[in-house]
Amino acid sequence: MGRRKVMVIGLDCAEPSLAFDKYAGVMPNLRRLMKKGCWGLLRSTIPPITVPAWTTMVSGADPGELGIYGFRDRTGYGSYELDFATARTVRVPRLWDVLGDAGLRSTVLFVPQTYPPPAELRGSMVTCFLTPGADSDYARPVELKQTLESSFGPYIVDVPDFRTDDKPRLLESIYAMSRQHFAMARFLLDKDDWDFFMMVEMGCDRFHHGFWRHIAADHPRHVPGNRFADAGREYYAYLDRELGTLAEFADADTTVLVVSDPGARTMKGGICLNEWLLRHGYLALEELPDRPTPLHRLKIDWSRTKAWGEGGYYGRVFLNVRGREPQGIIPPEQLDTECEALKAMLEAIPDEHGRPIGTVAHRPRDLYPVARGTPPDLIVLFGNLDWRSIGSVGTGAIHAVGNDTGPDDANHSWDGILVASGAQVSAIGRIDGAEVRDIARTVLGLFELAPPETMGGTGILSGVRRVREQGA
Amino acid sequence: MSGYVIWLTGDRVRMDALAEALRAGLTGTAPSIDVLTAEMVEDRLCAHEPRNADFRDVVVRRLAWLCQVLARNGGAAIAVAASPRRAVRDEARRGSDRFLEVLVHGTMPDGYEPPLEPALEVRASDAAYSVVDEVRRTLAARGLVARPPRVYTPEEEARVRERVEKLGYA
């Protein structure tokens, strides 16, 4: 065997029921990899959201170990403020750190939570969609920025003006971003001397949020035969063509992993978390807004507030505890009781017709062996992800259609995709039980490197080989 | 610009890599940044000392004195020593008001006495850049170095925040 290499192609939010089933016929390159290796569902983290899930994927550390529970986390119990979870928030080593220590070179493109880039890196990096803009310091080595701009124009960090009803323009913007990113990837696959290559393309996620109602028959506002009904098939077919061009850079000694996190599903609506907390006496405002307003723009009366929430594809609830929060009012000895009571009430919120929706609320201590940083007191999955959490206040209603920041069709689902192919992967077909946190250890296993102690999970492919050998 | 001492104590195995990362990452915060190890002191300043039960303490005390002299003159010193005895480290800390005791969790030496109030606790497995970042922020909070630049300027933060909210993530 020659020089071992690993290529990880990440498609944010690529949905298994589409990639493996509905659109399988237009994805010959993915099917070829599946046939030569193994494939299955890839279970996301709780919460199943881009940050922290991709960092779990490249570190093997769960959100509790990372102390990262969303895009913005509290800066500490001594403050009500939130701050962005950036690359600097990640304390555990990620794949390229471990590989770099072992003398191996990585090319890392668009992987969430890579901004700001490290001072030094053994390899190349283009940072993620949390990069402020094309004028930012987004590349390593530093001169790579100029090289890429001269060939591909200004870096398209993300889809501009995402919340829009101008769907044709949105679709073109998604394609433009994806085309540029894949072109950069091919350029660096060719130019770099890499042992480990990884890219994460966000276009698939943006497509789902923008177009899910048009492609999913179970969406409440789906119109059969609409003008974008085939847009999903076309976009997945396009992704597959890009996948094929990247796979051409994989020689006989390269293992290719195609992964997504999470998947996508129909969003039935939104639960206005802070409206609900207001109505039930948990949250008090000095003045009620007359239009939907994000909570951070409102004055909270902390002396009468027991809990407040954050919106997103899942909800986070924080309790205002005396001696813990700056103006806490819940006696610390009542924290458990209050938390359990609120959990039960949130789980009982019905839909707008009074029907149960199956909400699940978790306490971080029940999810993770350790919960570092400043975890929320409750992580709330409304309708087990059928509904999103809406943080704004001002409608007076508990239920909402779509999102508080503009049209949105999809929510995240629990499972993404995993496809593995290469000389070190047996053609074993479908595998079950793989999780996002298994990927880092799997990659290190392919290089026969020992994982750091913070790297949880299981080496998937070694397990697959063992199963096959025992079964043979 | 004032000097400072970063005293790494605990798991000795990964301290060398951490110290090198700190030296590189803290460049510019002091006119000089030296990494001084217990082994250096043993070889160069304690070669003729009797190897009795107090030998380790002698080494740690001399290492501390060296670091204090450097810091007093505006330089930065990064001490690398398992330094298992709390009382000897406390002596070292009392010798300088620019002293940051960093407990490196991991495989501890036999009889290790952990600090009661370390300035910072890191794990041997933490990513080096993350440790550098935390040390720098802690030094800055004590007024020993300039505050590290925030990840985003206020304008950048507003741009990213708007993007994240529009994407539905918040």
Side-chain angles (χ1 to χ4, degrees), chain A residues 65 88 91 93 129-132 163 206 296 313 372 388 405, chain B residues 123 125-127 130 134 149 152 159 161 163 165-169:
Chain A
E65 173 71 30
R88 287 200 191 150
R91 286 190 61 166
F129 70 98
L130 294 173
T131 305
R163 297 287 169 196
R206 308 309 185 237
H296 65 82
Y313 292 110
R372 301 188 194 284
R388 66 169 279 125
T405 51
Chain B
R123 289 168 295 176
S125 55
D126 282 348
S130 156
E134 283 223 43
Y152 299 125
R159 281 159 74 184
R161 185 172 184 155
R163 185 184 305 151
E165 286 178 354
K166 283 190 172 176
L167 289 168
Y169 290 126

PDB file of all heavy atoms in Angstrom, chain A residues 65 88 91 93 129-132 163 206 296 313 372 388 405, chain B residues 123 125-127 130 134 149 152 159 161 163 165-169:
ATOM      1  N   GLU A  65     -18.798  18.107  26.215  1.00  0.00           N
ATOM      2  CA  GLU A  65     -17.337  18.161  26.339  1.00  0.00           C
ATOM      3  C   GLU A  65     -16.802  19.445  25.697  1.00  0.00           C
ATOM      4  O   GLU A  65     -15.887  20.086  26.224  1.00  0.00           O
ATOM      5  CB  GLU A  65     -16.726  16.927  25.657  1.00  0.00           C
ATOM      6  CG  GLU A  65     -15.210  16.913  25.550  1.00  0.00           C
ATOM      7  CD  GLU A  65     -14.528  16.689  26.898  1.00  0.00           C
ATOM      8  OE1 GLU A  65     -15.126  16.023  27.751  1.00  0.00           O
ATOM      9  OE2 GLU A  65     -13.414  17.214  27.086  1.00  0.00           O
ATOM     10  N   ARG A  88     -11.986  29.845  18.164  1.00  0.00           N
ATOM     11  CA  ARG A  88     -11.279  30.035  19.434  1.00  0.00           C
ATOM     12  C   ARG A  88     -12.006  29.403  20.612  1.00  0.00           C
ATOM     13  O   ARG A  88     -11.433  29.227  21.676  1.00  0.00           O
ATOM     14  CB  ARG A  88     -11.093  31.529  19.710  1.00  0.00           C
ATOM     15  CG  ARG A  88     -10.060  32.145  18.823  1.00  0.00           C
ATOM     16  CD  ARG A  88      -9.556  33.428  19.427  1.00  0.00           C
ATOM     17  NE  ARG A  88      -8.769  34.145  18.448  1.00  0.00           N
ATOM     18  CZ  ARG A  88      -8.657  35.448  18.408  1.00  0.00           C
ATOM     19  NH1 ARG A  88      -9.285  36.194  19.299  1.00  0.00           N
ATOM     20  NH2 ARG A  88      -7.905  36.035  17.492  1.00  0.00           N
ATOM     21  N   ARG A  91     -11.763  23.996  22.414  1.00  0.00           N
ATOM     22  CA  ARG A  91     -10.579  23.716  23.235  1.00  0.00           C
ATOM     23  C   ARG A  91      -9.945  22.382  22.892  1.00  0.00           C
ATOM     24  O   ARG A  91      -8.787  22.148  23.222  1.00  0.00           O
ATOM     25  CB  ARG A  91     -10.962  23.697  24.716  1.00  0.00           C
ATOM     26  CG  ARG A  91     -11.231  25.060  25.287  1.00  0.00           C
ATOM     27  CD  ARG A  91     -11.367  24.991  26.780  1.00  0.00           C
ATOM     28  NE  ARG A  91     -10.146  24.500  27.419  1.00  0.00           N
ATOM     29  CZ  ARG A  91      -9.899  24.587  28.719  1.00  0.00           C
ATOM     30  NH1 ARG A  91     -10.782  25.130  29.511  1.00  0.00           N
ATOM     31  NH2 ARG A  91      -8.783  24.125  29.224  1.00  0.00           N
ATOM     32  N   PRO A  93      -8.548  19.213  20.510  1.00  0.00           N
ATOM     33  CA  PRO A  93      -7.906  19.134  19.193  1.00  0.00           C
ATOM     34  C   PRO A  93      -8.844  18.578  18.139  1.00  0.00           C
ATOM     35  O   PRO A  93      -9.633  17.677  18.415  1.00  0.00           O
ATOM     36  CB  PRO A  93      -6.721  18.190  19.439  1.00  0.00           C
ATOM     37  CG  PRO A  93      -7.028  17.462  20.693  1.00  0.00           C
ATOM     38  CD  PRO A  93      -7.954  18.318  21.501  1.00  0.00           C
ATOM     39  N   PHE A 129     -18.538  29.681   6.938  1.00  0.00           N
ATOM     40  CA  PHE A 129     -19.540  30.732   6.703  1.00  0.00           C
ATOM     41  C   PHE A 129     -19.677  31.684   7.890  1.00  0.00           C
ATOM     42  O   PHE A 129     -20.433  32.651   7.805  1.00  0.00           O
ATOM     43  CB  PHE A 129     -20.895  30.107   6.358  1.00  0.00           C
ATOM     44  CG  PHE A 129     -21.559  29.407   7.497  1.00  0.00           C
ATOM     45  CD1 PHE A 129     -22.536  30.031   8.240  1.00  0.00           C
ATOM     46  CD2 PHE A 129     -21.194  28.114   7.834  1.00  0.00           C
ATOM     47  CE1 PHE A 129     -23.140  29.389   9.303  1.00  0.00           C
ATOM     48  CE2 PHE A 129     -21.786  27.462   8.893  1.00  0.00           C
ATOM     49  CZ  PHE A 129     -22.761  28.099   9.629  1.00  0.00           C
ATOM     50  N   LEU A 130     -18.957  31.440   8.978  1.00  0.00           N
ATOM     51  CA  LEU A 130     -18.933  32.412  10.072  1.00  0.00           C
ATOM     52  C   LEU A 130     -17.821  33.437   9.871  1.00  0.00           C
ATOM     53  O   LEU A 130     -17.568  34.275  10.731  1.00  0.00           O
ATOM     54  CB  LEU A 130     -18.785  31.698  11.417  1.00  0.00           C
ATOM     55  CG  LEU A 130     -20.000  30.825  11.783  1.00  0.00           C
ATOM     56  CD1 LEU A 130     -19.731  30.008  13.031  1.00  0.00           C
ATOM     57  CD2 LEU A 130     -21.240  31.698  11.976  1.00  0.00           C
ATOM     58  N   THR A 131     -17.156  33.361   8.726  1.00  0.00           N
ATOM     59  CA  THR A 131     -16.217  34.398   8.316  1.00  0.00           C
ATOM     60  C   THR A 131     -17.024  35.668   8.014  1.00  0.00           C
ATOM     61  O   THR A 131     -18.041  35.590   7.319  1.00  0.00           O
ATOM     62  CB  THR A 131     -15.485  33.949   7.029  1.00  0.00           C
ATOM     63  OG1 THR A 131     -14.893  32.680   7.275  1.00  0.00           O
ATOM     64  CG2 THR A 131     -14.444  34.962   6.600  1.00  0.00           C
ATOM     65  N   PRO A 132     -16.605  36.829   8.535  1.00  0.00           N
ATOM     66  CA  PRO A 132     -17.430  38.032   8.305  1.00  0.00           C
ATOM     67  C   PRO A 132     -17.663  38.324   6.824  1.00  0.00           C
ATOM     68  O   PRO A 132     -18.777  38.653   6.426  1.00  0.00           O
ATOM     69  CB  PRO A 132     -16.625  39.142   8.977  1.00  0.00           C
ATOM     70  CG  PRO A 132     -15.837  38.451  10.030  1.00  0.00           C
ATOM     71  CD  PRO A 132     -15.487  37.100   9.457  1.00  0.00           C
ATOM     72  N   ARG A 163     -33.127  35.133   3.320  1.00  0.00           N
ATOM     73  CA  ARG A 163     -34.586  35.143   3.549  1.00  0.00           C
ATOM     74  C   ARG A 163     -35.262  35.998   2.487  1.00  0.00           C
ATOM     75  O   ARG A 163     -35.316  37.219   2.602  1.00  0.00           O
ATOM     76  CB  ARG A 163     -34.901  35.706   4.928  1.00  0.00           C
ATOM     77  CG  ARG A 163     -34.343  34.887   6.058  1.00  0.00           C
ATOM     78  CD  ARG A 163     -35.088  33.604   6.249  1.00  0.00           C
ATOM     79  NE  ARG A 163     -34.357  32.740   7.182  1.00  0.00           N
ATOM     80  CZ  ARG A 163     -34.575  31.461   7.336  1.00  0.00           C
ATOM     81  NH1 ARG A 163     -35.489  30.851   6.629  1.00  0.00           N
ATOM     82  NH2 ARG A 163     -33.881  30.763   8.206  1.00  0.00           N
ATOM     83  N   ARG A 206     -28.825  25.332   2.657  1.00  0.00           N
ATOM     84  CA  ARG A 206     -29.533  26.536   2.217  1.00  0.00           C
ATOM     85  C   ARG A 206     -30.653  26.181   1.239  1.00  0.00           C
ATOM     86  O   ARG A 206     -31.721  26.793   1.247  1.00  0.00           O
ATOM     87  CB  ARG A 206     -28.548  27.522   1.553  1.00  0.00           C
ATOM     88  CG  ARG A 206     -27.300  27.851   2.371  1.00  0.00           C
ATOM     89  CD  ARG A 206     -27.586  28.270   3.793  1.00  0.00           C
ATOM     90  NE  ARG A 206     -26.388  28.694   4.497  1.00  0.00           N
ATOM     91  CZ  ARG A 206     -25.951  28.161   5.639  1.00  0.00           C
ATOM     92  NH1 ARG A 206     -26.617  27.171   6.225  1.00  0.00           N
ATOM     93  NH2 ARG A 206     -24.864  28.616   6.235  1.00  0.00           N
ATOM     94  N   HIS A 296     -33.301  39.999  22.632  1.00  0.00           N
ATOM     95  CA  HIS A 296     -32.133  40.776  23.045  1.00  0.00           C
ATOM     96  C   HIS A 296     -32.311  42.270  22.799  1.00  0.00           C
ATOM     97  O   HIS A 296     -31.526  43.082  23.286  1.00  0.00           O
ATOM     98  CB  HIS A 296     -30.859  40.251  22.361  1.00  0.00           C
ATOM     99  CG  HIS A 296     -30.829  40.407  20.873  1.00  0.00           C
ATOM    100  ND1 HIS A 296     -30.465  41.577  20.264  1.00  0.00           N
ATOM    101  CD2 HIS A 296     -31.111  39.533  19.872  1.00  0.00           C
ATOM    102  CE1 HIS A 296     -30.524  41.415  18.948  1.00  0.00           C
ATOM    103  NE2 HIS A 296     -30.914  40.183  18.680  1.00  0.00           N
ATOM    104  N   TYR A 313     -33.366  26.291  15.526  1.00  0.00           N
ATOM    105  CA  TYR A 313     -34.010  25.048  15.093  1.00  0.00           C
ATOM    106  C   TYR A 313     -34.363  24.159  16.278  1.00  0.00           C
ATOM    107  O   TYR A 313     -35.036  23.147  16.130  1.00  0.00           O
ATOM    108  CB  TYR A 313     -33.120  24.322  14.080  1.00  0.00           C
ATOM    109  CG  TYR A 313     -33.047  25.109  12.791  1.00  0.00           C
ATOM    110  CD1 TYR A 313     -31.889  25.751  12.405  1.00  0.00           C
ATOM    111  CD2 TYR A 313     -34.180  25.265  11.997  1.00  0.00           C
ATOM    112  CE1 TYR A 313     -31.838  26.516  11.256  1.00  0.00           C
ATOM    113  CE2 TYR A 313     -34.157  26.023  10.849  1.00  0.00           C
ATOM    114  CZ  TYR A 313     -32.972  26.645  10.482  1.00  0.00           C
ATOM    115  OH  TYR A 313     -32.947  27.406   9.342  1.00  0.00           O
ATOM    116  N   ARG A 372     -19.573  21.278  29.944  1.00  0.00           N
ATOM    117  CA  ARG A 372     -18.660  22.399  30.198  1.00  0.00           C
ATOM    118  C   ARG A 372     -19.304  23.716  29.744  1.00  0.00           C
ATOM    119  O   ARG A 372     -20.370  23.738  29.154  1.00  0.00           O
ATOM    120  CB  ARG A 372     -17.335  22.168  29.462  1.00  0.00           C
ATOM    121  CG  ARG A 372     -16.632  20.893  29.879  1.00  0.00           C
ATOM    122  CD  ARG A 372     -15.229  20.792  29.270  1.00  0.00           C
ATOM    123  NE  ARG A 372     -14.718  19.445  29.418  1.00  0.00           N
ATOM    124  CZ  ARG A 372     -14.236  18.936  30.565  1.00  0.00           C
ATOM    125  NH1 ARG A 372     -14.190  19.677  31.654  1.00  0.00           N
ATOM    126  NH2 ARG A 372     -13.804  17.692  30.623  1.00  0.00           N
ATOM    127  N   ARG A 388     -39.874  24.534  15.007  1.00  0.00           N
ATOM    128  CA  ARG A 388     -38.694  25.248  15.454  1.00  0.00           C
ATOM    129  C   ARG A 388     -39.034  26.107  16.669  1.00  0.00           C
ATOM    130  O   ARG A 388     -40.208  26.256  17.027  1.00  0.00           O
ATOM    131  CB  ARG A 388     -38.077  26.098  14.340  1.00  0.00           C
ATOM    132  CG  ARG A 388     -38.922  27.245  13.866  1.00  0.00           C
ATOM    133  CD  ARG A 388     -38.125  28.181  12.959  1.00  0.00           C
ATOM    134  NE  ARG A 388     -37.298  29.091  13.714  1.00  0.00           N
ATOM    135  CZ  ARG A 388     -35.988  29.234  13.569  1.00  0.00           C
ATOM    136  NH1 ARG A 388     -35.341  28.508  12.687  1.00  0.00           N
ATOM    137  NH2 ARG A 388     -35.323  30.104  14.283  1.00  0.00           N
ATOM    138  N   THR A 405     -37.687  35.090  11.098  1.00  0.00           N
ATOM    139  CA  THR A 405     -36.722  35.900  10.339  1.00  0.00           C
ATOM    140  C   THR A 405     -36.950  35.777   8.834  1.00  0.00           C
ATOM    141  O   THR A 405     -36.095  36.139   8.050  1.00  0.00           O
ATOM    142  CB  THR A 405     -35.278  35.482  10.675  1.00  0.00           C
ATOM    143  OG1 THR A 405     -35.159  34.072  10.546  1.00  0.00           O
ATOM    144  CG2 THR A 405     -34.907  35.896  12.082  1.00  0.00           C
TER     145      THR A 405
ATOM    146  N   ARG B 123      -6.099  20.879  30.223  1.00  0.00           N
ATOM    147  CA  ARG B 123      -5.872  19.444  30.139  1.00  0.00           C
ATOM    148  C   ARG B 123      -4.729  19.199  29.168  1.00  0.00           C
ATOM    149  O   ARG B 123      -4.562  19.951  28.199  1.00  0.00           O
ATOM    150  CB  ARG B 123      -7.137  18.740  29.652  1.00  0.00           C
ATOM    151  CG  ARG B 123      -8.244  18.730  30.691  1.00  0.00           C
ATOM    152  CD  ARG B 123      -9.548  18.306  30.090  1.00  0.00           C
ATOM    153  NE  ARG B 123      -9.994  19.286  29.112  1.00  0.00           N
ATOM    154  CZ  ARG B 123     -11.068  19.155  28.360  1.00  0.00           C
ATOM    155  NH1 ARG B 123     -11.797  18.084  28.462  1.00  0.00           N
ATOM    156  NH2 ARG B 123     -11.409  20.096  27.491  1.00  0.00           N
ATOM    157  N   SER B 125      -4.585  17.272  26.993  1.00  0.00           N
ATOM    158  CA  SER B 125      -5.098  16.987  25.649  1.00  0.00           C
ATOM    159  C   SER B 125      -5.697  18.218  24.973  1.00  0.00           C
ATOM    160  O   SER B 125      -6.107  18.140  23.821  1.00  0.00           O
ATOM    161  CB  SER B 125      -6.171  15.900  25.736  1.00  0.00           C
ATOM    162  OG  SER B 125      -7.166  16.315  26.645  1.00  0.00           O
ATOM    163  N   ASP B 126      -5.772  19.339  25.667  1.00  0.00           N
ATOM    164  CA  ASP B 126      -6.349  20.534  25.034  1.00  0.00           C
ATOM    165  C   ASP B 126      -5.536  20.937  23.810  1.00  0.00           C
ATOM    166  O   ASP B 126      -4.303  20.772  23.778  1.00  0.00           O
ATOM    167  CB  ASP B 126      -6.364  21.708  26.009  1.00  0.00           C
ATOM    168  CG  ASP B 126      -7.497  21.597  27.020  1.00  0.00           C
ATOM    169  OD1 ASP B 126      -8.383  20.755  26.824  1.00  0.00           O
ATOM    170  OD2 ASP B 126      -7.480  22.356  28.001  1.00  0.00           O
ATOM    171  N   ALA B 127      -6.227  21.484  22.829  1.00  0.00           N
ATOM    172  CA  ALA B 127      -5.516  21.989  21.654  1.00  0.00           C
ATOM    173  C   ALA B 127      -4.594  23.126  22.093  1.00  0.00           C
ATOM    174  O   ALA B 127      -4.993  23.993  22.877  1.00  0.00           O
ATOM    175  CB  ALA B 127      -6.520  22.478  20.616  1.00  0.00           C
ATOM    176  N   SER B 130      -5.722  26.690  21.863  1.00  0.00           N
ATOM    177  CA  SER B 130      -6.750  27.039  22.833  1.00  0.00           C
ATOM    178  C   SER B 130      -6.114  27.415  24.168  1.00  0.00           C
ATOM    179  O   SER B 130      -6.548  28.365  24.837  1.00  0.00           O
ATOM    180  CB  SER B 130      -7.701  25.848  22.978  1.00  0.00           C
ATOM    181  OG  SER B 130      -8.351  25.878  24.203  1.00  0.00           O
ATOM    182  N   GLU B 134      -6.323  31.016  26.132  1.00  0.00           N
ATOM    183  CA  GLU B 134      -6.776  31.171  27.524  1.00  0.00           C
ATOM    184  C   GLU B 134      -5.713  31.848  28.375  1.00  0.00           C
ATOM    185  O   GLU B 134      -6.024  32.701  29.209  1.00  0.00           O
ATOM    186  CB  GLU B 134      -7.098  29.801  28.114  1.00  0.00           C
ATOM    187  CG  GLU B 134      -8.424  29.273  27.635  1.00  0.00           C
ATOM    188  CD  GLU B 134      -9.205  28.645  28.764  1.00  0.00           C
ATOM    189  OE1 GLU B 134      -9.228  29.224  29.858  1.00  0.00           O
ATOM    190  OE2 GLU B 134      -9.766  27.568  28.535  1.00  0.00           O
ATOM    191  N   PRO B 149      -7.033  40.721  20.450  1.00  0.00           N
ATOM    192  CA  PRO B 149      -8.129  41.281  19.656  1.00  0.00           C
ATOM    193  C   PRO B 149      -9.327  40.344  19.680  1.00  0.00           C
ATOM    194  O   PRO B 149      -9.169  39.126  19.700  1.00  0.00           O
ATOM    195  CB  PRO B 149      -7.516  41.373  18.245  1.00  0.00           C
ATOM    196  CG  PRO B 149      -6.330  40.462  18.256  1.00  0.00           C
ATOM    197  CD  PRO B 149      -5.855  40.381  19.653  1.00  0.00           C
ATOM    198  N   TYR B 152     -14.320  39.195  16.310  1.00  0.00           N
ATOM    199  CA  TYR B 152     -15.015  40.078  15.379  1.00  0.00           C
ATOM    200  C   TYR B 152     -14.940  41.521  15.869  1.00  0.00           C
ATOM    201  O   TYR B 152     -15.033  41.776  17.067  1.00  0.00           O
ATOM    202  CB  TYR B 152     -16.505  39.704  15.291  1.00  0.00           C
ATOM    203  CG  TYR B 152     -16.788  38.317  14.794  1.00  0.00           C
ATOM    204  CD1 TYR B 152     -17.570  37.438  15.534  1.00  0.00           C
ATOM    205  CD2 TYR B 152     -16.306  37.869  13.566  1.00  0.00           C
ATOM    206  CE1 TYR B 152     -17.862  36.154  15.067  1.00  0.00           C
ATOM    207  CE2 TYR B 152     -16.591  36.594  13.094  1.00  0.00           C
ATOM    208  CZ  TYR B 152     -17.369  35.744  13.850  1.00  0.00           C
ATOM    209  OH  TYR B 152     -17.641  34.492  13.387  1.00  0.00           O
ATOM    210  N   ARG B 159     -22.641  41.852  11.252  1.00  0.00           N
ATOM    211  CA  ARG B 159     -22.854  41.160   9.963  1.00  0.00           C
ATOM    212  C   ARG B 159     -23.097  39.673  10.170  1.00  0.00           C
ATOM    213  O   ARG B 159     -24.029  39.076   9.612  1.00  0.00           O
ATOM    214  CB  ARG B 159     -21.622  41.330   9.055  1.00  0.00           C
ATOM    215  CG  ARG B 159     -21.542  42.661   8.363  1.00  0.00           C
ATOM    216  CD  ARG B 159     -20.120  42.939   7.924  1.00  0.00           C
ATOM    217  NE  ARG B 159     -19.691  42.169   6.772  1.00  0.00           N
ATOM    218  CZ  ARG B 159     -18.450  42.216   6.285  1.00  0.00           C
ATOM    219  NH1 ARG B 159     -17.538  42.979   6.849  1.00  0.00           N
ATOM    220  NH2 ARG B 159     -18.120  41.516   5.225  1.00  0.00           N
ATOM    221  N   ARG B 161     -23.969  38.154  12.923  1.00  0.00           N
ATOM    222  CA  ARG B 161     -25.190  37.927  13.712  1.00  0.00           C
ATOM    223  C   ARG B 161     -26.425  37.983  12.821  1.00  0.00           C
ATOM    224  O   ARG B 161     -27.321  37.132  12.915  1.00  0.00           O
ATOM    225  CB  ARG B 161     -25.269  38.981  14.805  1.00  0.00           C
ATOM    226  CG  ARG B 161     -26.421  38.787  15.747  1.00  0.00           C
ATOM    227  CD  ARG B 161     -26.288  39.762  16.892  1.00  0.00           C
ATOM    228  NE  ARG B 161     -27.322  39.527  17.859  1.00  0.00           N
ATOM    229  CZ  ARG B 161     -27.222  39.860  19.138  1.00  0.00           C
ATOM    230  NH1 ARG B 161     -26.149  40.436  19.586  1.00  0.00           N
ATOM    231  NH2 ARG B 161     -28.215  39.631  19.964  1.00  0.00           N
ATOM    232  N   ARG B 163     -26.515  37.401   9.669  1.00  0.00           N
ATOM    233  CA  ARG B 163     -26.489  36.227   8.784  1.00  0.00           C
ATOM    234  C   ARG B 163     -27.015  34.996   9.513  1.00  0.00           C
ATOM    235  O   ARG B 163     -27.861  34.263   9.002  1.00  0.00           O
ATOM    236  CB  ARG B 163     -25.056  35.975   8.300  1.00  0.00           C
ATOM    237  CG  ARG B 163     -24.941  34.851   7.292  1.00  0.00           C
ATOM    238  CD  ARG B 163     -23.485  34.593   6.931  1.00  0.00           C
ATOM    239  NE  ARG B 163     -22.826  35.790   6.463  1.00  0.00           N
ATOM    240  CZ  ARG B 163     -21.518  36.039   6.605  1.00  0.00           C
ATOM    241  NH1 ARG B 163     -20.741  35.134   7.199  1.00  0.00           N
ATOM    242  NH2 ARG B 163     -20.988  37.131   6.147  1.00  0.00           N
ATOM    243  N   GLU B 165     -28.927  34.836  12.120  1.00  0.00           N
ATOM    244  CA  GLU B 165     -30.357  34.947  12.421  1.00  0.00           C
ATOM    245  C   GLU B 165     -31.188  34.693  11.167  1.00  0.00           C
ATOM    246  O   GLU B 165     -32.194  33.993  11.211  1.00  0.00           O
ATOM    247  CB  GLU B 165     -30.661  36.332  13.007  1.00  0.00           C
ATOM    248  CG  GLU B 165     -30.168  36.452  14.449  1.00  0.00           C
ATOM    249  CD  GLU B 165     -30.411  37.831  15.059  1.00  0.00           C
ATOM    250  OE1 GLU B 165     -30.867  38.746  14.343  1.00  0.00           O
ATOM    251  OE2 GLU B 165     -30.115  37.967  16.246  1.00  0.00           O
ATOM    252  N   LYS B 166     -30.737  35.235  10.043  1.00  0.00           N
ATOM    253  CA  LYS B 166     -31.497  35.017   8.802  1.00  0.00           C
ATOM    254  C   LYS B 166     -31.458  33.556   8.377  1.00  0.00           C
ATOM    255  O   LYS B 166     -32.372  33.046   7.756  1.00  0.00           O
ATOM    256  CB  LYS B 166     -30.954  35.910   7.689  1.00  0.00           C
ATOM    257  CG  LYS B 166     -31.410  37.346   7.822  1.00  0.00           C
ATOM    258  CD  LYS B 166     -31.063  38.159   6.606  1.00  0.00           C
ATOM    259  CE  LYS B 166     -31.713  39.529   6.691  1.00  0.00           C
ATOM    260  NZ  LYS B 166     -31.333  40.399   5.584  1.00  0.00           N
ATOM    261  N   LEU B 167     -30.369  32.887   8.700  1.00  0.00           N
ATOM    262  CA  LEU B 167     -30.282  31.474   8.357  1.00  0.00           C
ATOM    263  C   LEU B 167     -31.134  30.613   9.285  1.00  0.00           C
ATOM    264  O   LEU B 167     -31.271  29.416   9.063  1.00  0.00           O
ATOM    265  CB  LEU B 167     -28.816  31.013   8.424  1.00  0.00           C
ATOM    266  CG  LEU B 167     -27.928  31.548   7.297  1.00  0.00           C
ATOM    267  CD1 LEU B 167     -26.457  31.289   7.606  1.00  0.00           C
ATOM    268  CD2 LEU B 167     -28.296  30.913   5.967  1.00  0.00           C
ATOM    269  N   GLY B 168     -31.687  31.232  10.316  1.00  0.00           N
ATOM    270  CA  GLY B 168     -32.580  30.498  11.205  1.00  0.00           C
ATOM    271  C   GLY B 168     -31.873  29.812  12.350  1.00  0.00           C
ATOM    272  O   GLY B 168     -32.479  29.062  13.111  1.00  0.00           O
ATOM    273  N   TYR B 169     -30.568  30.050  12.487  1.00  0.00           N
ATOM    274  CA  TYR B 169     -29.823  29.364  13.537  1.00  0.00           C
ATOM    275  C   TYR B 169     -30.058  29.982  14.917  1.00  0.00           C
ATOM    276  O   TYR B 169     -29.659  29.412  15.917  1.00  0.00           O
ATOM    277  CB  TYR B 169     -28.325  29.413  13.239  1.00  0.00           C
ATOM    278  CG  TYR B 169     -27.901  28.567  12.057  1.00  0.00           C
ATOM    279  CD1 TYR B 169     -27.181  29.115  11.010  1.00  0.00           C
ATOM    280  CD2 TYR B 169     -28.197  27.212  12.000  1.00  0.00           C
ATOM    281  CE1 TYR B 169     -26.769  28.342   9.931  1.00  0.00           C
ATOM    282  CE2 TYR B 169     -27.799  26.431  10.933  1.00  0.00           C
ATOM    283  CZ  TYR B 169     -27.078  27.005   9.899  1.00  0.00           C
ATOM    284  OH  TYR B 169     -26.667  26.237   8.845  1.00  0.00           O
TER     285      TYR B 169
END
